[in-house]
Amino acid sequence: MMKTNLMTHDHRNIHSEIYKMKMGPVAVREIPAMKYVTQEMNTNYQMDWAGRPEPVDEQWIVWKVVNQLKHLTKNKLRYKFTLMPHEILWHEKNDSRSLTTQMMQVPDCITEELFEEACFHVEKRLGNKLSTLQLISNESLTCVQKLHRGHYRNSIETLSEIMNFADQESLSLKSSYKEIYLTPAMKCHKPETWQTVVSVEINKSQPGVRNE
């Protein structure tokens, strides 16, 4: 029986307004509802890792689980997808330790059952319980964002532009902000070419106040 080649779904193309964002001014954007595999962390970060920050005190497991999900969806659902960029939601950013949520976007066809099966396989290999990992479904939201070009260590400059824009437009922003690291973590990419989406969610509940 002849096997049919599966089409590979690249969600960077499906959500190109986020994951293939172009250089331009600060803008308000509507982010569609999406699913993510997330990992809560309280760790120090190596801020000179190629393409993205690298956690020092804890291991980043999300990509291992998503790799398992790739195999499961391909074999069980006949749905083949590519890995998405690494994302970090910064809650508290400090020189010593930072509170973050590390995440990776996954297709809507991922169910809690598939997620648990993927975690089981990764736990078996690592010998550790993945207690800080979750499969979450975010509702659509509105963000203020801008593409930062250059080393992500300097993304605070772009974040300041976002904050200034929000003040001018009387927009209330949440205190946590997200960075999406579009450039693959490979040393062949020079830091001046790295691209990072900096995004802050608009807080609609309490106008005029920045909070969580």
Side-chain angles (χ1 to χ4, degrees):
M1 187 176 185
M2 186 179 294
K3 290 186 177 181
T4 304
N5 290 331
L6 293 178
M7 179 179 71
T8 300
H9 298 269
D10 188 344
H11 287 237
R12 287 170 292 194
N13 295 327
I14 297 173
H15 300 295
S16 60
E17 71 283 1
I18 305 169
Y19 298 104
K20 288 192 171 183
M21 191 177 177
K22 305 297 183 184
M23 291 297 296
V26 178
V28 176
R29 293 178 180 265
E30 297 296 324
I31 310 300
M34 288 190 285
K35 281 190 177 181
Y36 301 87
V37 174
T38 69
Q39 179 180 2
E40 301 301 321
M41 281 195 172
N42 180 7
T43 182
N44 188 18
Y45 280 90
Q46 181 181 338
M47 298 299 286
D48 204 23
W49 187 266
R52 59 173 173 80
E54 177 72 3
V56 175
D57 307 304
E58 299 183 42
Q59 187 178 9
W60 183 46
I61 306 296
V62 169
W63 71 273
K64 293 179 180 291
V65 172
V66 178
N67 256 334
Q68 281 294 320
L69 288 171
K70 281 181 61 179
H71 294 298
L72 292 172
T73 57
K74 180 181 177 182
N75 295 330
K76 294 189 174 187
L77 305 179
R78 305 291 292 167
Y79 189 90
K80 187 178 178 182
F81 67 93
T82 59
L83 286 177
M84 293 294 284
H86 179 190
E87 308 183 27
I88 298 181
L89 185 61
W90 297 91
H91 306 294
E92 291 183 17
K93 193 172 187 179
N94 303 300
D95 293 333
S96 55
R97 301 180 77 83
S98 296
L99 294 176
T100 63
T101 302
Q102 301 212 152
M103 55 208 306
M104 186 175 285
Q105 194 269 338
V106 294
D108 290 339
C109 62
I110 302 298
T111 63
E112 190 67 34
E113 289 74 21
L114 286 172
F115 172 69
E116 290 177 1
E117 184 175 350
C119 286
F120 171 80
H121 290 299
V122 174
E123 288 172 347
K124 190 174 181 180
R125 290 181 181 179
L126 297 178
N128 294 319
K129 188 72 175 174
L130 308 182
S131 57
T132 64
L133 266 67
Q134 289 183 301
L135 175 67
I136 66 169
S137 297
N138 275 2
E139 297 180 352
S140 59
L141 49 87
T142 306
C143 289
V144 183
Q145 60 186 38
K146 187 179 188 294
L147 183 66
H148 172 80
R149 185 178 176 88
H151 203 297
Y152 55 78
R153 278 198 313 256
N154 302 322
S155 64
I156 189 67
E157 300 165 3
T158 300
L159 180 61
S160 294
E161 289 184 52
I162 289 174
M163 294 301 183
N164 290 336
F165 174 88
D167 285 340
Q168 292 169 9
E169 299 294 323
S170 299
L171 298 173
S172 167
L173 302 182
K174 292 193 174 183
S175 59
S176 298
Y177 69 95
K178 180 188 280 190
E179 292 183 340
I180 306 173
Y181 307 96
L182 301 184
T183 305
M186 300 167 63
K187 292 184 178 179
C188 59
H189 298 286
K190 296 182 179 179
E192 57 266 26
T193 68
W194 295 351
Q195 295 187 337
T196 306
V197 176
V198 182
S199 181
V200 189
E201 185 181 348
I202 293 176
N203 177 23
K204 298 179 180 179
S205 61
Q206 296 183 28
V209 178
R210 287 198 183 101
N211 60 13
E212 275 292 312

